[in-house]
Amino acid sequence: MMIESNSSLKAFNTFSIEAKTQSLFHFKTLQQLPELLALVKRVRAEKRPVLILGAGSNILFCEDFSGLVIKVELSGVDIIESPESYQLQVAAGEDWHQLVTDSIDKGIDGLENLALIPGVVGAAPVQNIGAYGCEFKDFCESVEYIDLDSGEFFNLSAAACLFGYRDSIFKSKKMENALITKVTLTLPKKWQPHSRSGVSNQSDAAQKVTAKEIYHSVCQTRSEKLPDPEQLGNAGSFFKNPVVSKQQAEHLLNLYPNMPHYPQADGNIKLAAGWLIEQANLKGVQCGGAAVHQQQALVLVNQDNACATDIVELAELVRATVEEKFNVSLDHEVRFIGSQGETNLKEVLQHVRA
Ligand SMILES: Cc1cc2nc3c(=O)[nH]c(=O)nc-3n(C[C@H](O)[C@H](O)[C@H](O)COP(=O)(O)OP(=O)(O)OC[C@H]3O[C@@H](n4cnc5c(N)ncnc54)[C@H](O)[C@@H]3O)c2cc1C
């Protein structure tokens, strides 16, 4: 039986927050599609929400979920080789890091900078995962999804996915019915290291370095820098790096000449949220069982049996302190899920404090 009732989601979110869902469906094969579509219809007729879930590494369950969670566990990887490239057709439930590891082991280079990002392949296009100067969009050819209302399949080209910084069309309201089933990636055989790969960038070293070396270097750097969710619950970077106007960045640079800043193509400037949080002396600060990570200020952790409210209160403390000190507003990258579906920090706080 693939449908469970009143199930705990603790094992299905990397914050390890206890929350229950009224219904849970494990979507393992496309043969289950008629059953799934009928279930979605029934749940929606009861005015209950539907949530598509991967590995829960970018989600905060703020309270029990009143609807249906569809846990996407579709599996399978097809590799099609041409003289110039490899095409990878990967089912949405495959583990992202395992895909990177297996490709590198097979001599298929390109994904090494994106090693050790938790989560499943189907979630990668949603926020256009990125690290060390590479993003999912750099390799994406197309994304296949099912519309959960009509049951129709669609295949969107990378251009139609409207990828941006931690963003894509799959985050927009009109795509909330889109359950991603498969992604197609193209990895050219002619490989070049990417500049911010975490290995020495001196020209000699950069010339000789292999994708496998970069892969190991990225894995090592990430394991040293980021807490392992298996040991300490977390959802990676809690906030997005804020983008401010050139004028505001110049004003801040006068006050803080060492502030990291990254000019964007549109003239605006991206700042490092982690640096702002650290400068606001928030490292190690706790709310109940939740804490700002000691080594990496951008990560909020479940230090000691935190409940969702602890994390929400801590996120608000960080947001408000950074705003007061720098006049920069931080937006959460982690998706907040309330009893009725997607919500945000402001709404959750109103609810918690009412
Ligand atoms: C320690 C740590 C480090 C991290 N480092 C990075 C990093 O370097 N770069 C980065 O970009 N992210 C990073 N993240 C965030 C996270 O790994 C990514 O966002 C990842 O893609 C989430 O995958 P998931 O399977 O856990 O998705 P979930 O958290 O389950 O879901 C995320 C969103 O995707 C939607 N979704 C999931 N599957 C599907 C599907 N099949 N169809 C449609 N929608 C779907 C969900 O509804 C939800 O809105 C990190 C997280 C952790 C815990």
Side-chain angles (χ1 to χ4, degrees):
M1 186 64 170
M2 293 298 165
I3 308 169
E4 295 169 18
S5 301
N6 208 20
S7 308
S8 168
L9 294 166
K10 192 168 180 182
F12 301 141
N13 73 94
T14 58
F15 260 126
S16 286
I17 292 292
E18 182 53 276
K20 285 197 160 52
T21 176
Q22 208 165 319
S23 318
L24 175 66
F25 185 91
H26 294 271
F27 187 26
K28 290 175 184 292
T29 83
L30 291 177
Q31 273 107 53
Q32 295 169 290
L33 194 52
E35 187 190 0
L36 174 61
L37 293 175
L39 180 60
V40 168
K41 205 169 174 181
R42 213 162 58 231
V43 166
R44 289 206 164 133
E46 292 164 6
K47 302 256 180 297
R48 293 197 290 131
V50 171
L51 174 72
I52 303 164
L53 186 66
S57 67
N58 200 30
I59 276 193
L60 176 64
F61 288 110
C62 302
E63 52 195 337
D64 288 346
F65 187 67
S66 67
L68 165 69
V69 169
I70 306 170
K71 178 105 176 40
V72 181
E73 296 169 11
L74 300 168
S75 58
V77 182
D78 287 324
I79 301 172
I80 298 154
E81 186 175 356
S82 75
E84 297 81 34
S85 62
Y86 294 99
Q87 190 187 67
L88 273 48
Q89 298 181 353
V90 194
E94 290 287 339
D95 181 79
W96 174 264
H97 174 65
Q98 196 59 51
L99 174 74
V100 176
T101 306
D102 291 348
S103 330
I104 295 291
D105 283 349
K106 289 188 172 85
I108 302 175
D109 298 338
L111 298 177
E112 55 283 346
N113 288 26
L114 301 180
L116 225 53
I117 298 183
V120 297
V121 167
V126 177
Q127 73 148 1
N128 181 27
I129 55 168
Y132 300 106
C134 280
E135 289 181 320
F136 175 83
K137 74 168 170 52
D138 302 334
F139 314 98
C140 176
E141 192 166 305
S142 62
V143 176
E144 181 193 84
Y145 70 90
I146 314 169
D147 181 302
L148 287 175
D149 269 344
S150 66
E152 259 181 285
F153 276 86
F154 295 89
N155 199 36
L156 280 191
S157 68
C161 290
L162 305 180
F163 291 121
Y165 168 61
R166 300 294 180 272
D167 201 15
S168 75
I169 195 168
F170 297 104
K171 278 191 162 182
S172 68
K173 211 61 193 143
K174 78 177 170 98
M175 295 301 274
E176 64 183 9
N177 276 323
L179 186 151
I180 296 167
T181 45
K182 187 164 80 178
V183 307
T184 300
L185 306 175
T186 298
L187 300 170
K189 287 185 175 171
K190 205 165 167 223
W191 173 84
Q192 274 201 322
H194 202 280
S195 56
R196 285 169 58 202
S197 51
V199 290
S200 162
N201 206 21
Q202 288 159 6
S203 50
D204 259 9
Q207 288 291 315
K208 289 185 197 132
V209 77
T210 65
K212 204 165 207 155
E213 284 165 347
I214 294 176
Y215 166 86
H216 286 301
S217 162
V218 167
C219 288
Q220 190 181 342
T221 309
R222 289 185 64 105
S223 336
E224 283 164 8
K225 209 172 77 173
L226 290 166
D228 176 357
E230 297 276 321
Q231 318 285 330
L232 195 59
N234 75 90
S237 305
F238 196 90
F239 297 98
K240 290 187 206 175
N241 288 323
V243 178
V244 300
S245 68
K246 192 163 180 252
Q247 197 186 15
Q248 189 179 1
E250 277 166 3
H251 170 71
L252 286 168
L253 279 164
N254 276 334
L255 299 170
Y256 309 99
N258 297 330
M259 178 181 74
H261 57 286
Y262 310 96
Q264 303 297 290
D266 61 4
N268 288 327
I269 312 286
K270 192 189 279 182
L271 308 180
W275 187 88
L276 298 171
I277 298 169
E278 192 172 343
Q279 295 303 306
N281 285 325
L282 289 162
K283 264 188 172 176
V285 163
Q286 278 188 248
C287 273
V292 177
H293 193 238
Q294 279 288 1
Q295 275 79 47
Q296 176 51 263
L298 195 47
V299 179
L300 305 190
V301 295
N302 179 351
Q303 185 83 38
D304 185 15
N305 283 316
C307 60
T309 309
D310 295 341
I311 293 171
V312 168
E313 293 285 7
L314 181 63
E316 172 56 12
L317 176 72
V318 170
R319 191 205 60 75
T321 311
V322 166
E323 182 150 65
E324 197 183 316
K325 186 169 168 73
F326 299 102
N327 193 24
V328 171
S329 75
L330 293 181
D331 247 358
H332 47 94
E333 178 181 315
V334 171
R335 303 192 87 179
F336 281 36
I337 308 295
S339 74
Q340 293 299 319
E342 182 142 16
T343 177
N344 57 49
L345 183 55
K346 205 170 151 200
E347 279 178 9
V348 177
L349 276 171
Q350 274 169 2
H351 188 68
V352 164
R353 291 174 177 176

